[in-house]
Amino acid sequence: MYIPGTMRAGIAFGKLNKLTAGIDFLTTNWSEARIPGSTGTKDSHTLIFGVEYTPERYSNLSRLKRLDYRLGGHIGNSYVSYNGTQVKESGISAGFGIPIMRTLSEVNIFFDYTIRYGSASAGLHNEKYFTVGASLNIFDRWFLRPKYD
């Protein structure tokens, strides 16, 4: 059994505590995979892009100005192949991060709409799905050594 690794390259830029934009490209050589009972895998290539905007990171007057607003998307080829036709995938996502009071931790909520599609002549159909999710980023200082006792 052999599962190939993924190569990823990307770049991000922006203004500190205000705006961040980035783009990633990732590729996996699934055609080299050796998985018992598996057939029809092809190399996958995906382009991922996104932007994050924070109106005022340290605002004391408005909680809405402290939110992180995010928007992104992806487009690429899936590793799945059926009747010689590779399945394609594209999608858009949006979300926001809610800072937790008096910490650097935050709660993240996101929405994603993705479409997988292929050639109808190859026996493929379109698949559309919507995902809603949440995560918690915890930033704590328990591991930092105090300067004074």
Side-chain angles (χ1 to χ4, degrees), residues 18-82:
K18 191 71 159 174
L19 179 70
T20 303
I23 188 166
D24 282 356
F25 176 77
L26 57 110
T27 183
T28 306
N29 293 331
W30 284 105
S31 60
E32 298 174 2
R34 290 184 305 277
I35 303 169
S38 173
T39 60
T41 58
K42 295 203 176 193
D43 296 345
S44 67
H45 310 286
T46 306
L47 185 66
I48 304 167
F49 47 91
V51 64
E52 176 185 77
Y53 175 70
T54 307
E56 284 186 49
R57 167 111 24 227
Y58 304 107
S59 174
N60 289 327
L61 302 176
S62 172
R63 299 263 306 152
L64 290 177
K65 288 184 179 181
R66 293 182 63 205
L67 293 180
D68 296 329
Y69 298 95
R70 300 180 184 110
L71 183 64
H74 65 276
I75 187 166
N77 299 328
S78 172
Y79 65 91
V80 177
S81 174
Y82 184 74

